[in-house]
Amino acid sequence: MAFKRKFNTGEHSSITTIHVRRYLTSLIASHVLRENLGALVNQQNRHYSAPVAGATPASKQKYVPTSGTYPKGFLASGIHVGVKPTNTQFPDLALLASETPCSGAAVFTKNKFQAAPVTVSRQVLERRSGEGVRAIVINAGCANAVTGKGGLDDASAMVRAVDACFNSSRPTSPTTPLKPSSDPSTTLVMSTGVIGQRLPISKILSAIPVAHSTLSSTHNNWLLAARAICTTDTFPKLLSRTFILPSSPGITYTLAGMTKGAGMIHPNMATLLGMLFTDAPIPAKTLQPLLTHAVDRSFNAISVDGDTSTNDTLAFLANSAAGGEPITSLSSEDGKALTEIVTSFAQQLSQLVIRDGEGATKFVRVRVVNSLSFADAQKIASTIARSPLVKTALYGKDANWGRILCAVGYTDGLSPGAVVPEKTSVSFVPTDGSDALKLLVRGEPEMVDEKRAAKILEGEDLEILVDLGGGEGGQGKDEANYWFCDFSHEYVTINGDYRT
């Protein structure tokens, strides 16, 4: 009653009414917050390993192939081991193998703390001069990085265990010392997961014969292998395609690839892990430069967060099972065609990593054109892709082109005259085919249509075009592409509790 009398008094009634309204509004807001907090948390929850069935987000289902055509003579398997104690059901050990020896090539991380599998795989390729490689074994859940001599022993034991499955004349016990370089291993090894922890090696070694016994050429097995290498990925990344070469129009070759990665992605060679396989006849001396060229324009041109992993490895195996004349030169007609095919394929595969970037809401291509050199263009594109300010502006749908220009201006290691402010232009290019939105033209800012800019940034895909105008002297015509994603609140959430 006292409250009622005060509420009805004359001069204080309007003030009291305002207070009551504010109080009620606060109560309602608190109730709404409590009701929606659980839903908000659930929206930000992500799977730290892609489950076998049913958990790939609806928006990512379109990237998971329902069928595929795979290279002759290659087999795949993916099984559950439980490398990470919390993983009780999902596949986390993959085995990819050829029925016959292959040519092999690989590119590795340039991080100075190189994981044990990187060291062991490099040694295998060096000892074999890239020829006679047979298989790749991969575990998820533990990176086997910064694990000392014990980690090297574990990686070598995995190699020996796979070798024993393929050749009864080789040591049958994974603890038997590897024979000297006159009898080098035929298996490459990769690991991904938490750094600084030892592998549960006994569990893995016991499971390798099971992985070998379940090898198959079916699409389901290839997909299981792709799932088995996932960590924070929300979908398995697997592609395949067929192609022909000019000298052998009657032969159909096949190229397949899988990769994993969603965070700690700013490769200085490849993505976190990746594998390519083909039945084309490519000797090791041709395969290595082919892979290097493709990687520089694909896996070395993506970035999620600017961090280069300790485990980055991309391997390429070719078993010649489809026949045809060996491709001994990339400058030949076949070599040029193959370079274009493999590079394009590697770009498509690497872009799936960006599509699955941790917490990402945007897929962005930055294209730097009219540069004095490819190297300059790629350095500038890389700097833009790594800029936290650019990435957060894109997440906030803010057309803050000044951040892009700033990144161009502080790019290190450019050749003299690479960037001339008065010649530089920046635009947003919509993916719907409409005209580019010009933000800066030859050093002069445009009157930006903010409504159109906001509409462009509402979309998932975006292209940023940076035109250097040929640099000093105006003669530059080279260009480079880079693919990256934005930074969101969810990225922080995922990486804040990665180990827990």
Side-chain angles (χ1 to χ4, degrees), residues 2-10 12-14 16-18 20:
F3 173 76
K4 185 176 180 179
R5 284 196 300 271
K6 184 175 182 181
F7 185 76
N8 287 327
T9 56
H12 296 293
S13 62
S14 60
T16 307
T17 300
I18 291 171
V20 170

Side-chain angles (χ1 to χ4, degrees), residues 415-436:
S415 57
V419 176
V420 179
E422 296 78 14
K423 293 185 176 183
T424 303
S425 303
V426 177
S427 303
F428 284 162
V429 181
T431 57
D432 61 5
S434 59
D435 292 340

